[in-house]
Amino acid sequence: MLEVQNGVPAQAAAPEAERAGRAAGPAERVERDLAAAPLLPYALVAGVLCALYFLYSWVQYAHFRTPSWDLGIFNQSVRAYAEFRAPIVDIKGPGFLILGDHFSPVTAFLAPLYWIWSSPLALLFAQAALFAASAVVVGRTAHQVLGSRAAGLGLTVAYGLSWGLQEAVKSDFHEIAFAVPLLALTCRALLLGRWTAAAAWSVPLVLVKEDMGLTVAMVGAVLFLKGQKRLGAALAAFGAAFFALTVLVLIPAASRVGQYDYWAKIEKTGEGADVSFAQVLLTSLGSDVKWEMVFFLVGITGFLALRSPLMLLVLPTLGWRFLSQDPNHWGMIWHYSAILMPIVFLALVDAVRAVRTSPRAWLVAYGRVVVPVVTAAAIVLALDLPLRELLRSETYRTDARTLEARRAVDAVPTGASVETNVPLMAHLTADRKVYWVGGAKGVSPDYLALDLSSGWSQPVTDPVQLASQLHPEARYEVSAQAGQFVVLKRS
């Protein structure tokens, strides 16, 4: 079936450039060769993926299995934007302006959703929808470029089940949810030779997180290599300049300490000891965990993505993760690899297209089978990834701990200030003022709501004594207790 352009079949429309006295350029030839790719099949697959992502997130939230304080942090910041306030996140400290920690103003775009649904679940749904939307871009682009619906749908499934996205879903909401579809659209434009569109889709990345400026600069480098020297150089300069602006000016200006705190992730070990840059490099290159992550990153594409210049876009993210001294940044867990998934899968599409004209017969043959192989491998790998838990009945079972946690949350009145730890945190942020345990210096919150088995090296046997240690200026007494959860009220 031919794609129609302005009412004329593509193969008939393409020679107009030659009839006008000039040869068709590379971008025009790419447009001419695109296969028709109806949106509906990809939207249906994306709908299933969105449902799976959100179901996992909802079950995890409903059963108090939140893995970190990040969902509470983002809920506080989006709630502030929705109420037309500065993004103050008291979880990070009383009156803490979150733009002094990470530069992610893009989360303000979720404020209208919060007006409709003022719950952390709204953020989890938004992330599920953004990830699913990126799957439409990846799959439909594969269909158009490779001319095969089977390839397009296969890569939609492989991408949607990829370990980077699944680990991000498991890690609850993060601002990188916006970067994933933006990078998919950027890479699509690069594949189709739509240079201005590629630059336009990449520019908003600087509002997602401070390090994304370097990725934007790398998009400029790819454009430069593609022959778009002026546009590429301008975009590279913009990305590098905005990165410098955020980490040297904007974040320090909003920070209490007047500096970008995350330099310490490179300069200091987890014990706080200073390390030289040479030590950082040696440690980075000698880490098995980091190289394992890289192996699986390219391995999920059958290693063929390495033949595409789009793979240059993974270098900024891999660079800071390799240099970081924080083990959380190294491996395949958490959300840090999600932004790499659209890059490597669309790099695979680019490589499959390129090897079709290779003089090496074995490479041509490999290019013909790599997509079904990648799809099959993704399905097999998914059996050992987070979404597999949706197939287990115990995932949905409400146990005693869940009921106890709900009673603890209900014991804190709406509108009260409360100091808490991770298991209860996100559940309290929608309509209460929430602080992190030990991080509410100078404040005596109305309540302390604690999971006594979380956050301490030894179980807490005397919560009243703990409260007196945290806030010697105030007195607290137990107002409710359910299993391992206890709520104390300021008297």
PDB file of all heavy atoms in Angstrom, residues 77-89:
ATOM      1  N   SER A  77       6.068  18.525  44.848  1.00  0.00           N
ATOM      2  CA  SER A  77       6.411  19.598  43.905  1.00  0.00           C
ATOM      3  C   SER A  77       5.275  19.852  42.919  1.00  0.00           C
ATOM      4  O   SER A  77       4.935  21.015  42.632  1.00  0.00           O
ATOM      5  CB  SER A  77       7.702  19.258  43.154  1.00  0.00           C
ATOM      6  OG  SER A  77       7.553  18.098  42.356  1.00  0.00           O
ATOM      7  N   VAL A  78       4.637  18.802  42.403  1.00  0.00           N
ATOM      8  CA  VAL A  78       3.534  18.991  41.462  1.00  0.00           C
ATOM      9  C   VAL A  78       2.328  19.603  42.169  1.00  0.00           C
ATOM     10  O   VAL A  78       1.624  20.458  41.606  1.00  0.00           O
ATOM     11  CB  VAL A  78       3.161  17.659  40.781  1.00  0.00           C
ATOM     12  CG1 VAL A  78       1.915  17.814  39.919  1.00  0.00           C
ATOM     13  CG2 VAL A  78       4.320  17.157  39.929  1.00  0.00           C
ATOM     14  N   ARG A  79       2.095  19.188  43.400  1.00  0.00           N
ATOM     15  CA  ARG A  79       1.017  19.795  44.179  1.00  0.00           C
ATOM     16  C   ARG A  79       1.252  21.299  44.335  1.00  0.00           C
ATOM     17  O   ARG A  79       0.318  22.100  44.220  1.00  0.00           O
ATOM     18  CB  ARG A  79       0.941  19.116  45.548  1.00  0.00           C
ATOM     19  CG  ARG A  79      -0.099  19.726  46.490  1.00  0.00           C
ATOM     20  CD  ARG A  79      -0.019  19.061  47.856  1.00  0.00           C
ATOM     21  NE  ARG A  79      -0.881  19.696  48.824  1.00  0.00           N
ATOM     22  CZ  ARG A  79      -0.891  19.421  50.124  1.00  0.00           C
ATOM     23  NH1 ARG A  79      -0.075  18.502  50.604  1.00  0.00           N
ATOM     24  NH2 ARG A  79      -1.714  20.036  50.949  1.00  0.00           N
ATOM     25  N   ALA A  80       2.498  21.698  44.572  1.00  0.00           N
ATOM     26  CA  ALA A  80       2.809  23.129  44.696  1.00  0.00           C
ATOM     27  C   ALA A  80       2.541  23.861  43.390  1.00  0.00           C
ATOM     28  O   ALA A  80       1.944  24.949  43.383  1.00  0.00           O
ATOM     29  CB  ALA A  80       4.269  23.303  45.122  1.00  0.00           C
ATOM     30  N   TYR A  81       2.982  23.283  42.264  1.00  0.00           N
ATOM     31  CA  TYR A  81       2.703  23.910  40.971  1.00  0.00           C
ATOM     32  C   TYR A  81       1.195  24.034  40.743  1.00  0.00           C
ATOM     33  O   TYR A  81       0.712  25.054  40.242  1.00  0.00           O
ATOM     34  CB  TYR A  81       3.314  23.077  39.849  1.00  0.00           C
ATOM     35  CG  TYR A  81       4.812  23.205  39.690  1.00  0.00           C
ATOM     36  CD1 TYR A  81       5.621  22.066  39.699  1.00  0.00           C
ATOM     37  CD2 TYR A  81       5.412  24.452  39.512  1.00  0.00           C
ATOM     38  CE1 TYR A  81       7.005  22.166  39.528  1.00  0.00           C
ATOM     39  CE2 TYR A  81       6.794  24.558  39.359  1.00  0.00           C
ATOM     40  CZ  TYR A  81       7.581  23.417  39.371  1.00  0.00           C
ATOM     41  OH  TYR A  81       8.939  23.529  39.208  1.00  0.00           O
ATOM     42  N   ALA A  82       0.440  22.989  41.109  1.00  0.00           N
ATOM     43  CA  ALA A  82      -1.003  22.993  40.896  1.00  0.00           C
ATOM     44  C   ALA A  82      -1.688  24.071  41.728  1.00  0.00           C
ATOM     45  O   ALA A  82      -2.749  24.578  41.350  1.00  0.00           O
ATOM     46  CB  ALA A  82      -1.585  21.626  41.228  1.00  0.00           C
ATOM     47  N   GLU A  83      -1.086  24.423  42.856  1.00  0.00           N
ATOM     48  CA  GLU A  83      -1.631  25.460  43.726  1.00  0.00           C
ATOM     49  C   GLU A  83      -0.973  26.810  43.482  1.00  0.00           C
ATOM     50  O   GLU A  83      -1.138  27.742  44.268  1.00  0.00           O
ATOM     51  CB  GLU A  83      -1.452  25.039  45.184  1.00  0.00           C
ATOM     52  CG  GLU A  83      -2.248  23.784  45.542  1.00  0.00           C
ATOM     53  CD  GLU A  83      -1.931  23.251  46.929  1.00  0.00           C
ATOM     54  OE1 GLU A  83      -1.032  23.827  47.598  1.00  0.00           O
ATOM     55  OE2 GLU A  83      -2.573  22.280  47.355  1.00  0.00           O
ATOM     56  N   PHE A  84      -0.233  26.916  42.353  1.00  0.00           N
ATOM     57  CA  PHE A  84       0.422  28.158  41.934  1.00  0.00           C
ATOM     58  C   PHE A  84       1.389  28.673  42.999  1.00  0.00           C
ATOM     59  O   PHE A  84       1.492  29.874  43.263  1.00  0.00           O
ATOM     60  CB  PHE A  84      -0.625  29.227  41.587  1.00  0.00           C
ATOM     61  CG  PHE A  84      -1.564  28.802  40.492  1.00  0.00           C
ATOM     62  CD1 PHE A  84      -2.840  28.354  40.787  1.00  0.00           C
ATOM     63  CD2 PHE A  84      -1.158  28.825  39.163  1.00  0.00           C
ATOM     64  CE1 PHE A  84      -3.699  27.945  39.783  1.00  0.00           C
ATOM     65  CE2 PHE A  84      -2.018  28.429  38.149  1.00  0.00           C
ATOM     66  CZ  PHE A  84      -3.288  27.981  38.464  1.00  0.00           C
ATOM     67  N   ARG A  85       2.099  27.722  43.617  1.00  0.00           N
ATOM     68  CA  ARG A  85       3.138  28.054  44.581  1.00  0.00           C
ATOM     69  C   ARG A  85       4.500  27.654  44.037  1.00  0.00           C
ATOM     70  O   ARG A  85       4.597  26.861  43.088  1.00  0.00           O
ATOM     71  CB  ARG A  85       2.902  27.320  45.912  1.00  0.00           C
ATOM     72  CG  ARG A  85       1.644  27.702  46.642  1.00  0.00           C
ATOM     73  CD  ARG A  85       1.576  27.009  48.001  1.00  0.00           C
ATOM     74  NE  ARG A  85       1.266  25.581  47.907  1.00  0.00           N
ATOM     75  CZ  ARG A  85       2.123  24.605  48.139  1.00  0.00           C
ATOM     76  NH1 ARG A  85       3.383  24.885  48.467  1.00  0.00           N
ATOM     77  NH2 ARG A  85       1.756  23.338  48.036  1.00  0.00           N
ATOM     78  N   ALA A  86       5.542  28.175  44.633  1.00  0.00           N
ATOM     79  CA  ALA A  86       6.891  27.729  44.296  1.00  0.00           C
ATOM     80  C   ALA A  86       7.012  26.253  44.671  1.00  0.00           C
ATOM     81  O   ALA A  86       6.397  25.812  45.651  1.00  0.00           O
ATOM     82  CB  ALA A  86       7.931  28.553  45.037  1.00  0.00           C
ATOM     83  N   PRO A  87       7.790  25.461  43.910  1.00  0.00           N
ATOM     84  CA  PRO A  87       7.883  24.017  44.184  1.00  0.00           C
ATOM     85  C   PRO A  87       8.708  23.714  45.442  1.00  0.00           C
ATOM     86  O   PRO A  87       9.854  23.255  45.371  1.00  0.00           O
ATOM     87  CB  PRO A  87       8.548  23.476  42.919  1.00  0.00           C
ATOM     88  CG  PRO A  87       9.369  24.611  42.409  1.00  0.00           C
ATOM     89  CD  PRO A  87       8.573  25.853  42.721  1.00  0.00           C
ATOM     90  N   ILE A  88       8.094  23.969  46.593  1.00  0.00           N
ATOM     91  CA  ILE A  88       8.728  23.678  47.876  1.00  0.00           C
ATOM     92  C   ILE A  88       8.488  22.220  48.224  1.00  0.00           C
ATOM     93  O   ILE A  88       7.350  21.741  48.214  1.00  0.00           O
ATOM     94  CB  ILE A  88       8.166  24.586  48.989  1.00  0.00           C
ATOM     95  CG1 ILE A  88       8.440  26.067  48.662  1.00  0.00           C
ATOM     96  CG2 ILE A  88       8.759  24.219  50.335  1.00  0.00           C
ATOM     97  CD1 ILE A  88       9.906  26.421  48.567  1.00  0.00           C
ATOM     98  N   VAL A  89       9.554  21.509  48.550  1.00  0.00           N
ATOM     99  CA  VAL A  89       9.464  20.090  48.899  1.00  0.00           C
ATOM    100  C   VAL A  89      10.020  19.930  50.309  1.00  0.00           C
ATOM    101  O   VAL A  89      11.229  19.842  50.520  1.00  0.00           O
ATOM    102  CB  VAL A  89      10.236  19.218  47.888  1.00  0.00           C
ATOM    103  CG1 VAL A  89      10.268  17.764  48.342  1.00  0.00           C
ATOM    104  CG2 VAL A  89       9.603  19.323  46.514  1.00  0.00           C
TER     105      VAL A  89
END
